[in-house]
C-alpha cells in the first residue's frame, strides 16, 4: 500500500479510531447526572471518575510514546481501541464505584496511545508542508466524537438506559479495533528508523533526551494552557452546570456541548494554516487563545445571575477553540525533536493539556463540595462561580511556562542561525 491513496487509507483508519476514542472519552460527560444517581456520588466522587481516566491517560503518554517508537502505530491504535471497548463493557455492567473506576482506568489506558499514533502516521506518510494542517484536521474530525456523545450517546442513554448505552459503545469499540488492525500501516522503514528501533534506550534517559529541547518544553506548556477549559466543561462539569445552575434543559446543554465541538472543528484548519504559513509565530496563537479564554470566563462568572443562552453559546465557542490550538504544541515537538524520539516527545507534550485538565476537573469538584451543604448532589450558581474561578491557577502557570520556554527556544534557534525578527521589523519590511 503506497502512494497518495495508501496514505489516505491509512490516515482514514487512524482518524476513525481517534473519533471512536473521543466518543469513549467524553461519553461519561453527558452521563454525569445519571452517574450521580446510579452510584450515589458527591461532586468529588463524580470528579474522581474523570480524574482517574485522565490521570491514567496522562501517566501513560510517555510510555505509550516509547511503545510507539518501538512497535509502531498499528499495534497501539488497534490494541488501545480494544482495551477501551473492554472498559466500556465493564462500565455497562458496573453498579458499584470500584468496578466503575476500573472501567474508567481501562478507557484511559486504551485512549493513551491513539492520538499520538495518528500524529506519527501523518508525519510518516505525508510531506512536511502538509503535516500541520493534517494534524489539525485529524484533531478536528476526532473532536466530532464530542458531538456524537452530546447528541447520539445522550439520546440513547435517555431512551434505553445505562447498560444498553455503554454496551453499544463497547461493541462499536471492538469493531473499530478490527478496522484499525486491517487499515493502519507504517511506510517501509528507512535505514535510520531500523537503526533507531534497534537501540533500546532506558526509559528515563529516553524521556530526558526527548524533553531536553526548549522547543519541546514550549510544546508541553502550549498544550497545557490551551485545552483544559474546554475539557473541564466537555468531559464532566458542563452538563451539570448548564442544567442545574444555568436553568437550561438537557437538550440545550447538549446543544452547547455541540457548539463547543463545532467551534473546535472550525478553528482547527485555521490554526493549522497559520502554523504552516508562520512557523516562527506559532506561539502567538497559543497566547491569543489563552487571553480570549480568560476573558470568556470572566464574562461568564462575574454576573451572579444565570446568563442568556446566546452568551453561553459565545462562551463555549471561545473555549472550544482552545482545543485545536493545543495541537500547536504537537507541532513544536515535531520540529524540535529527532525522528527516533518523536513518539516519546509527542507523548511528553500530550501530557500537558491532560495534566491541567485533571487539576481543573478535580479542583472544581473539591470547591463545589466545600462550598455546598453536606450531602448536596446539586450545586448553586454561586458555588459554580467560586469553583470555576479556581481555574485561574493552572491558567497562570501555563502562560508563565509558555513565555519562559518561548524565550529559551528562540535563543536556541538564534544559536543555530535562525533568528525570529521583531514584529515591527517584519511590518517595516512589508511596507517597503
Amino acid at each position: 500500500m503506497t502512494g497518495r491513496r495508501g496514505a489516505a487509507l491509512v490516515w482514514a483508519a487512524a482518524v476513525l479510531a481517534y473519533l471512536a476514542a473521543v466518543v469513549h472519552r467524553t461519553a461519561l460527560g453527558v452521563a454525569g447526572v445519571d452517574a450521580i444517581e446510579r452510584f450515589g456520588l458527591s461532586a468529588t466522587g463524580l470528579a474522581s471518575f474523570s480524574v482517574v481516566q485522565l490521570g491514567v491517560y496522562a501517566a501513560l503518554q510517555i510510555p505509550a510514546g516509547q511503545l510507539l517508537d518501538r512497535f509502531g502505530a498499528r499495534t497501539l491504535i488497534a490494541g488501545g481501541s480494544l482495551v477501551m471497548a473492554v472498559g466500556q463493557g465493564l462500565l455497562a455492567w458496573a453498579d458499584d464505584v470500584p468496578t466503575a473506576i476500573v472501567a474508567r482506568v481501562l478507557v484511559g489506558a486504551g485512549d493513551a496511545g491513539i492520538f499520538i499514533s495518528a500524529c506519527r502516521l501523518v508525519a510518516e506518510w505525508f510531506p512536511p508542508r502538509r503535516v500541520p494542517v493534517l494534524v489539525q484536521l485529524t484533531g478536528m474530525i476526532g473532536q466530532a466524537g464530542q458531538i456524537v456523545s452530546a447528541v447520539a450517546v445522550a439520546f440513547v442513554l435517555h431512551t434505553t438506559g445505562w447498560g444498553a448505552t455503554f454496551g453499544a459503545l463497547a461493541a462499536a469499540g471492538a469493531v473499530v479495533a478490527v478496522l484499525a488492525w486491517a487499515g493502519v500501516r507504517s511506510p517501509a522503514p528507512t535505514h535510520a528508523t531500523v537503526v533507531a528501533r534497534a537501540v533500546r534506550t532506558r526509559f528515563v534517559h529516553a524521556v530526558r533526551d526527548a524533553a531536553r529541547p526548549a522547543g519541546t518544553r514550549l510544546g508541553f506548556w502550549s498544550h497545557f494552557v490551551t485545552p483544559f477549559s474546554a475539557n473541564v466543561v466537555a468531559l464532566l462539569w458542563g452538563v451539570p452546570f448548564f442544567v442545574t445552575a444555568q436553568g437550561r434543559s438537557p437538550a440545550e446543554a447538549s446543544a452547547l456541548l455541540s457548539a463547543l465541538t463545532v467551534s473546535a472543528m472550525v478553528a482547527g484548519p485555521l490554526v493549522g494554516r497559520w502554523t504552516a504559513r508562520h512557523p516562527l509565530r506559532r506561539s502567538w496563537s497559543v497566547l491569543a487563545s489563552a487571553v480570549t479564554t480568560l476573558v470568556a470566563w470572566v464574562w461568564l462568572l462575574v454576573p451572579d445571575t444565570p446568563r442568556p443562552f446566546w452568551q453561553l453559546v459565545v462562551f463555549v465557542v471561545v473555549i472550544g477553540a482552545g482545543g485545536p490550538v493545543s495541537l500547536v504544541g504537537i507541532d513544536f515537538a515535531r520540529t524540535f525533536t529527532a525522528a527516533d524520539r518523536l513518539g516519546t516527545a509527542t507523548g511528553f507534550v500530550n501530557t500537558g493539556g491532560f495534566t491541567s485538565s485533571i487539576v481543573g476537573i478535580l479542583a472544581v469538584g473539591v470547591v463545589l463540595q466545600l462550598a455546598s451543604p453536606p450531602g448536596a448532589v446539586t450545586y448553586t450558581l454561586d458555588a459554580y462561580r467560586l469553583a470555576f474561578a479556581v481555574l485561574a491557577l493552572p491558567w497562570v502557570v501555563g502562560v508563565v511556562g509558555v513565555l519562559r520556554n518561548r524565550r529559551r527556544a528562540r535563543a536556541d534557534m538564534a544559536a543555530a542561525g535562525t533568528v525570529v525578527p521583531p514584529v515591527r521589523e517584519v511590518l517595516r519590511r512589508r511596507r517597503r
Side-chain angles (χ1 to χ4, degrees), residues 324-422:
V325 176
S326 69
L327 300 186
V328 174
I330 303 295
D331 201 58
F332 280 127
R334 178 183 65 84
T335 54
F336 282 92
T337 306
D340 61 301
R341 296 193 297 269
L342 182 57
T344 304
T346 304
F348 168 72
V349 168
N350 209 35
T351 62
F354 291 93
T355 300
S356 58
S357 297
I358 292 168
V359 171
I361 288 172
L362 185 58
V364 169
V366 169
V367 175
L368 278 176
Q369 191 163 337
L370 292 175
S372 303
V377 293
T378 58
Y379 306 96
T380 66
L381 176 58
D382 286 340
Y384 273 108
R385 291 171 64 215
L386 183 62
F388 284 139
V390 177
L391 298 179
L393 179 59
W395 185 91
V396 171
V397 172
V399 169
V400 170
V402 169
L403 293 175
R404 289 183 62 188
N405 287 281
R406 181 177 73 161
R407 183 175 65 252
R408 293 172 180 174
R410 288 185 173 183
D412 290 346
M413 292 168 62
T418 301
V419 178
V420 181

Side-chain angles (χ1 to χ4, degrees), residues 292-356:
T292 54
T293 297
L294 176 65
V295 171
W297 275 115
V298 172
W299 187 43
L300 177 71
L301 299 180
V302 168
D304 59 358
T305 57
R307 299 292 82 207
F309 187 74
W310 68 266
Q311 183 175 344
L312 297 177
V313 171
V314 174
F315 166 73
V316 297
V317 166
V318 172
I319 67 170
V325 176
S326 69
L327 300 186
V328 174
I330 303 295
D331 201 58
F332 280 127
R334 178 183 65 84
T335 54
F336 282 92
T337 306
D340 61 301
R341 296 193 297 269
L342 182 57
T344 304
T346 304
F348 168 72
V349 168
N350 209 35
T351 62
F354 291 93
T355 300
S356 58

Side-chain angles (χ1 to χ4, degrees), residues 32 85 119 137 409 413 431:
C119 292
L137 192 58
M413 292 168 62
R431 286 196 298 268

Side-chain angles (χ1 to χ4, degrees), residues 98-113:
T99 305
I101 290 292
V102 172
R104 301 315 291 172
V105 167
L106 291 174
V107 172
D111 191 11

Side-chain angles (χ1 to χ4, degrees), residues 228-242:
F228 73 86
S229 289
N231 286 340
V232 167
V233 171
L235 295 180
L236 190 62
W237 292 117
V239 170
F241 171 66
F242 295 138

Side-chain angles (χ1 to χ4, degrees), residues 17-175:
Y18 180 52
L19 171 68
V22 173
V23 175
H24 292 309
R25 184 191 305 168
T26 58
L28 187 63
V30 301
V33 176
D34 299 79
I36 289 175
E37 297 175 354
R38 183 178 180 88
F39 300 108
L41 298 172
S42 64
T44 305
L46 180 60
S48 69
F49 275 34
S50 289
V51 166
V52 165
Q53 175 191 336
L54 293 179
V56 170
Y57 179 98
L60 291 180
Q61 281 302 293
I62 295 174
Q66 287 256 288
L67 292 173
L68 175 59
D69 287 336
R70 293 188 181 187
F71 301 110
R74 183 191 190 195
T75 300
L76 264 70
I77 292 177
S81 298
L82 187 59
V83 170
M84 282 191 292
V86 173
Q88 296 291 43
L90 184 60
L91 190 61
W93 171 79
D95 57 5
D96 60 86
V97 172
T99 305
I101 290 292
V102 172
R104 301 315 291 172
V105 167
L106 291 174
V107 172
D111 191 11
I114 291 182
F115 180 67
I116 62 174
S117 297
C119 292
R120 176 66 168 263
L121 288 170
V122 170
E124 288 178 339
W125 280 97
F126 295 93
R129 69 181 184 277
R130 298 182 62 189
V131 170
V133 174
L134 282 172
V135 168
Q136 288 289 348
L137 192 58
T138 301
M140 181 192 77
I141 296 173
Q143 291 310 307
Q146 293 189 31
I147 296 180
V148 176
S149 292
V151 178
V153 173
F155 174 78
V156 175
L157 179 67
H158 296 144
T159 55
T160 65
W162 182 279
T165 299
F166 287 95
L169 288 172
V175 172

Side-chain angles (χ1 to χ4, degrees), residues 221-262:
W221 289 111
S222 299
H223 201 280
F224 181 98
V225 74
T226 46
F228 73 86
S229 289
N231 286 340
V232 167
V233 171
L235 295 180
L236 190 62
W237 292 117
V239 170
F241 171 66
F242 295 138
V243 173
T244 64
Q246 293 290 335
R248 297 297 163 184
S249 67
E252 288 174 320
S254 294
L256 289 168
L257 292 187
S258 298
L260 184 151
T261 305
V262 170

